[in-house]
């Protein structure tokens, strides 16, 4: 059960956020074995002064099209799967909506299985 949070500057076409969500979800399905329909995503769009980043940190050439993707997942995947996820997200988002790799920032947040409640006030993974 990943929870996807996407942050970007405001002003993109309506199809842009949807394409990003789709690309991230397809990458999760392919690399993290996320089941069909297990899609929960929130897109945050910010004014330029609310979206602050270093354009050259780690030697990248980031633009105002930067997208920050934070995915909360259960801590059950290894380094190989994580690297595959990052590569798949980058490849998907290069195709649609046409982001350059330097404008794709990904952060995984790992939590324990008991840290999820999908509804009803119940910890479904440990019930």
């Amino acid at each position: 059960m990943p929870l996807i949070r996407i942050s970007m500057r405001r002003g993109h076409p309506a199809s842009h956020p949807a394409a990003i969500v789709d690309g991230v979800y397809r990458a999760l399905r392919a690399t993290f074995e996320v089941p069909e329909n297990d899609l929960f995503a929130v897109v945050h769009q910010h004014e330029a002064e609310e979206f602050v980043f270093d354009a050259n940190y780690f030697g990248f050439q980031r633009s105002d099209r930067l997208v920050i993707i934070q995915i909360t997942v259960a801590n059950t995947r290894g380094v190989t799967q994580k690297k595959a996820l990052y590569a798949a997200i980058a490849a998907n988002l290069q195709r649609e909506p046409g982001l350059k790799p330097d404008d794709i920032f990904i952060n995984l947040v790992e939590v324990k299985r008991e840290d999820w409640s999908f509804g009803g006030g119940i910890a479904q993974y440990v019930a």
Side-chain angles (χ1 to χ4, degrees), residues 7 33-34 40 57 60 66 84 92 94 104 107 114 122 124:
S7 296
E33 299 152 8
V34 169
F40 296 87
Y57 186 70
F60 292 99
L66 174 68
N92 288 349
Q94 281 180 268
I104 303 168
N107 170 243
E114 65 262 23
I122 301 166
Q124 284 82 5

Side-chain angles (χ1 to χ4, degrees), residues 59-110:
F60 292 99
Q61 301 293 311
R62 295 179 188 88
S63 74
D64 62 359
R65 294 190 71 202
L66 174 68
V67 174
I68 298 175
I69 301 161
Q70 185 174 67
I71 307 169
T72 303
V73 296
N75 62 347
T76 58
R77 279 94 175 184
V79 172
T80 301
Q81 271 186 296
K82 292 173 188 178
K83 287 181 173 183
L85 174 67
Y86 304 149
I89 290 172
N92 288 349
L93 299 187
Q94 281 180 268
R95 279 190 297 276
E96 184 66 34
L99 293 176
K100 64 178 190 157
D102 286 7
D103 283 333
I104 303 168
F105 181 109
I106 305 164
N107 170 243
L108 285 183
V109 177
E110 294 184 304

Side-chain angles (χ1 to χ4, degrees), residues 15-29:
S15 61
H16 195 82
I20 295 168
V21 169
D22 180 65
V24 172
Y25 177 62
R26 284 187 296 109
L28 283 163
R29 298 239 324 119

